């Protein structure tokens, strides 16, 4: 049975369990003769959880194990004996046979794969129905066990709340473990890179040329300082010079000056910018902003200005993160107690004086947190810099010159035909680890600022 069909069946059994347990709990309380500890719906949820969760857990485990079981059974078939002659192509042949067995391909190109189609189909059918039967059996067994415990004195509410708490805990652990897994994978490959290139050469050298690596001393060509500077210059300087003024002024206007009807329209329209795909911003930067910036540079007396300038990428990146600054600044200003604003106005201060001397200082921690989160978002941006920024690693203060970023170089290093264990490829993981640590620190600082802000005004 298809996995989605099986999930639908399990969900149906959970619904049946909920209805039957609820109906039984209602009968217990009929006439008011017995007082239930928990509501009938809570008894229903208890039975539904025991019906669905064990089956779902088994389906997840079985989906991970069944491909290996199917492969072992197919390899035991007589038709698989000739696979020993194709040791390097075995997985490809088995994949071709699997596609044909599942109907994804009308036929196979390899005669060996054609001979394995029927054994593959039998193995898929056998393990598919085996998993289906066990999942349904677990659903019935779990539901029957929970249903047998339904009684007027049974504390279903407590059990359901504990079950929900466990589910929420697992969801939190998945997010934490995913972050940990990302860090460990980057750390492991980065250690392989630093075994070839000294960390001081990578972190403090100013020459970046991964195309011309000296096998005897790869550190001479893999100094990442120009990349760090380009990332900082584009994402934290140019982009912030655009995002902070416009985002902050938008937040002040929407919270202090705009009529309610205008705010209802303008705030969603501003936040639409956060939902635009970054590839669209990249196209806009490459096709519209970059030529305009180059024409401006030519008009200013720089005839050899590049179309792939730091200014073009930074401007579009700043527009992209305006909603981040605006939204958090809006929330911070709106969270300032009304008494502070009213007191300032009552003392004779104008509206602009109240904003600049009372509201903004009071909301400054929240605004700073929003700026830090926007910076971390900007320095991790990929598509805009890939499409609009240059690959030239330069340390320059001229925004009209070419510059590159860490994310741009990661894309360039991982797209090509270099060996995976070469210093050039492994440098991408070292760059990724450095970027991960920087953004993590920025997020930690921002969260600390937000925590301090919330404690001050709760």
């Amino acid at each position: 049975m298809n996995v989605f069909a099986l999930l639908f069946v399990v969900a149906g059994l959970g619904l049946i369990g909920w209805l039957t347990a609820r109906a039984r709990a209602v009968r217990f309380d009929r006439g008011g003769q017995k007082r239930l500890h928990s509501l009938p719906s809570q008894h229903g949820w208890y039975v539904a959880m025991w019906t669905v969760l064990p089956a779902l857990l088994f389906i997840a485990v079985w989906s991970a194990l069944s491909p290996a079981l199917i492969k072992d059974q197919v390899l035991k078939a007589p038709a698989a004996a000739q696979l020993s002659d194709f040791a390097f192509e075995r997985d490809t042949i088995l994949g071709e046979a699997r596609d044909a067995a599942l109907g994804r391909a009308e036929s196979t190109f390899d005669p060996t794969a054609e001979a394995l189609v029927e054994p593959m189909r039998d193995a898929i059918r056998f393990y598919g129905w085996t998993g289906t039967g066990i999942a349904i059996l677990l659903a019935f067994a779990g539901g029957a066990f929970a249903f047998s415990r339904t009684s007027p004195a049974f504390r279903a509410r407590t059990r359901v709340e504990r079950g929900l708490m466990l589910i929420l805990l697992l969801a939190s652990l998945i997010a934490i473990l995913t972050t940990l897994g990302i860090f460990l994978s980057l750390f492991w490959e980065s250690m392989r890179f630093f075994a070839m290139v000294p960390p001081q050469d990578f972190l403090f050298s100013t020459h970046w040329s991964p195309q011309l690596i000296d096998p005897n001393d790869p550190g001479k060509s893999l100094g990442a300082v120009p990349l760090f500077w380009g990332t900082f210059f584009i994402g934290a300087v140019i982009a912030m010079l655009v995002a902070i003024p416009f985002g902050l002024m938008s937040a002040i206007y929407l919270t202090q000056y705009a009529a309610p009807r205008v705010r209802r329209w303008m705030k969603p329209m501003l936040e639409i910018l956060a939902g635009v795909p970054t590839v669209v911003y990249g196209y806009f930067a490459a096709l519209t902003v970059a030529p305009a910036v180059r024409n401006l540079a030519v008009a200013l007396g720089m005839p050899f200005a590049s179309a792939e300038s730091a200014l073009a990428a930074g401007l579009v990146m700043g527009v992209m993160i305006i909603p981040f600054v605006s939204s958090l600044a809006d929330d911070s200003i709106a969270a300032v107690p009304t008494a502070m604003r009213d007191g300032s106005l009552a003392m004779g201060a104008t509206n602009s004086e109240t904003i600049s001397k009372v509201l903004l200082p009071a909301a400054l921690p929240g605004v700073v947190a929003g700026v830090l989160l926007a910076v971390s978002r900007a320095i991790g941006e990929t598509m805009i810099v890939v499409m609009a920024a240059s690959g030239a690693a330069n340390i320059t203060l001229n925004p009209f010159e070419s510059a590159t970023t860490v994310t741009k170089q990661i894309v360039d290093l991982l797209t090509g035909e270099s060996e995976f264990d070469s210093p050039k490829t492994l440098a991408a993981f070292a760059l990724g680890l450095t970027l991960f640590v920087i953004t993590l620190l920025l997020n930690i600082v921002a969260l600390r600022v937000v925590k301090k802000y919330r404690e001050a005004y709760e």
Side-chain angles (χ1 to χ4, degrees):
M1 182 182 292
N2 185 275
V3 174
F4 295 104
L6 180 57
L7 293 175
F8 181 77
V9 171
V10 170
L13 292 176
L15 177 61
I16 294 172
W18 186 87
L19 293 173
T20 54
R22 182 181 181 278
R24 187 180 186 187
V26 169
R27 287 197 300 272
F28 284 146
D29 197 35
R30 183 173 296 173
Q33 298 177 357
K34 297 180 179 179
R35 182 176 179 82
L36 292 175
H37 174 274
S38 304
L39 296 175
S41 60
Q42 292 167 344
H43 286 276
W45 283 115
Y46 178 73
V47 174
M49 288 173 61
W50 270 98
T51 303
V52 173
L53 293 182
L56 289 181
L57 181 61
F58 171 78
I59 291 172
V61 174
W62 188 255
S63 298
L65 295 179
S66 59
L69 297 175
I70 292 171
K71 180 179 178 180
D72 290 341
Q73 181 169 326
V74 172
L75 291 177
K76 294 177 183 178
Q82 51 187 327
L83 281 179
S84 58
D85 299 332
F86 306 94
F88 296 103
E89 301 177 1
R90 185 177 66 177
D91 292 338
T92 303
I93 294 173
L94 290 174
E96 190 175 347
R98 183 182 181 86
D99 290 340
L102 293 174
R104 299 172 183 170
E106 296 182 0
S107 61
T108 60
F109 296 98
D110 195 313
T112 306
E114 181 66 30
L116 295 175
V117 171
E118 197 58 35
M120 180 69 73
R121 186 179 289 116
D122 293 339
I124 292 174
R125 186 183 300 114
F126 172 77
Y127 285 106
W129 284 110
T130 300
T132 300
I134 296 175
I136 294 176
L137 182 62
L138 283 174
F140 273 110
F145 166 76
F147 187 79
S148 65
R149 305 189 69 184
T150 305
S151 64
F154 182 65
R155 300 175 179 270
R157 180 181 62 190
T158 304
R159 304 300 176 89
V160 170
E161 290 177 352
R162 289 179 179 176
L164 291 176
M165 186 185 303
L166 179 61
I167 292 173
L168 294 175
L169 176 62
L170 291 176
S172 302
L173 288 176
I174 288 174
I176 295 172
L177 292 176
T178 301
T179 304
L180 181 62
I182 293 172
F183 174 77
L184 291 178
S185 62
L186 290 174
F187 181 79
W188 177 260
E189 299 299 336
S190 298
M191 290 304 100
R192 295 177 58 192
F193 171 77
F194 288 127
M196 305 176 187
V197 177
Q200 61 271 16
D201 290 348
F202 175 74
L203 295 174
F204 301 109
S205 178
T206 59
H207 179 63
W208 177 263
S209 181
Q211 291 78 19
L212 302 173
I213 295 179
D214 184 359
N216 299 322
D217 190 5
K220 290 183 177 179
S221 303
L222 295 176
V225 171
L227 311 187
F228 299 147
W229 169 252
T231 302
F232 172 78
F233 188 49
I234 294 175
V237 177
I238 299 176
M240 288 299 106
L241 288 176
V242 176
I244 292 176
F246 285 99
L248 189 56
M249 288 189 291
S250 300
I252 292 173
Y253 173 75
L254 291 175
T255 56
Q256 303 300 318
Y257 293 104
R261 184 176 61 181
V262 176
R263 176 181 170 84
R264 283 197 301 269
W265 283 96
M266 288 193 64
K267 188 172 175 61
M269 292 177 65
L270 181 63
E271 293 180 347
I272 285 176
L273 291 174
V276 176
T278 55
V279 66
V280 177
Y281 283 111
Y283 275 117
F284 177 66
L287 300 179
T288 304
V289 178
V293 170
R294 186 184 182 283
N295 293 336
L296 175 62
V298 172
L300 294 175
M302 291 177 279
F304 301 105
S306 172
E308 297 177 328
S309 62
L311 183 60
L315 287 176
V316 178
M317 194 181 297
V319 172
M320 181 192 68
I321 59 179
I322 285 176
F324 292 88
V325 178
S326 175
S327 180
L328 290 172
D330 187 319
D331 296 338
S332 301
I333 295 173
V336 175
T338 309
M340 297 179 65
R341 181 177 185 274
D342 293 342
S344 175
L345 295 174
M347 294 295 292
T350 63
N351 199 17
S352 59
E353 290 174 339
T354 300
I355 293 171
S356 61
K357 297 182 179 180
V358 177
L359 296 183
L360 285 182
L364 188 61
V367 174
V368 172
V371 170
L372 291 176
L373 290 174
V375 170
S376 65
R377 174 69 178 85
I379 65 176
E381 172 55 34
T382 303
M383 287 307 303
I384 293 177
V385 293
V386 167
M387 301 179 70
S390 171
N394 296 322
I395 301 178
T396 178
L397 287 172
N398 186 353
F400 294 102
E401 291 187 7
S402 300
T404 190
T405 64
V406 170
T407 52
K408 163 71 173 174
Q409 290 301 312
I410 290 175
V411 173
D412 291 343
L413 292 173
L414 293 180
T415 53
E417 300 181 354
S418 300
E419 297 180 359
F420 186 80
D421 57 351
S422 65
K424 176 182 177 182
T425 305
L426 293 176
F429 294 95
L431 292 173
L433 179 64
T434 307
L435 190 64
F436 179 88
V437 172
I438 293 173
T439 54
L440 180 63
L441 292 176
L442 286 173
N443 280 274
I444 291 174
V445 172
L447 291 175
R448 294 285 296 178
V449 173
V450 170
K451 183 179 179 181
K452 180 180 178 180
Y453 165 73
R454 288 179 176 173
E455 289 178 350
Y457 294 105
E458 280 184 352

